[in-house]
Amino acid sequence: MDVLFAAEAAVRDAAPAVVQRHRSAGVLTWALLHTMEVEVLADVAATGKHSKRILDMIRAPAALDYPKDEREASFEGHDVVPIVFRAIEDAWRRVN
């Protein structure tokens, strides 16, 4: 489990810089959330400290079928929020 916690910490560290690059969009849409997910995971993968298997565990699984459109992202009504999505949403609220 330590490797999973380490990957989550790395995602939380990487998310603010990615969010900062996109903050001018004004609204966090599902499409933007998915775009930033790819960027955050690429940044974390580039460190070489986390296996692809672990990174796949913390991304949004296709089976959850989150929207990919321009509607405002909201996790209301979702029982499960992937680690990467939660980190991005938290950073989105904190980054000006």
Side-chain angles (χ1 to χ4, degrees), residues 1 3 6 8 10 12-13 17 22 24 26-27 34 48 51-53 69-71 73 75 77-78 86 89 91 96:
M1 270 320 220
V3 293
E8 180 178 0
R12 291 197 172 282
D13 289 345
H22 295 279
S24 64
V27 175
H34 285 279
S51 71
K52 181 183 181 319
R53 183 178 65 82
D69 57 27
E70 294 299 326
R71 287 179 290 154
F75 295 108
H78 292 274
R86 177 64 62 208
E89 183 188 46
N96 295 338

Side-chain angles (χ1 to χ4, degrees), residues 28-67:
L28 180 59
T29 64
W30 286 110
L32 183 56
L33 184 62
H34 285 279
T35 296
M36 288 191 290
E37 175 191 34
V38 169
E39 291 179 28
V40 167
L41 290 172
D43 287 356
V44 172
T47 68
K49 296 179 181 178
H50 309 282
S51 71
K52 181 183 181 319
R53 183 178 65 82
I54 292 297
L55 296 180
D56 285 346
M57 288 176 65
I58 63 176
R59 77 175 62 243
L64 292 179
D65 200 30
Y66 283 99

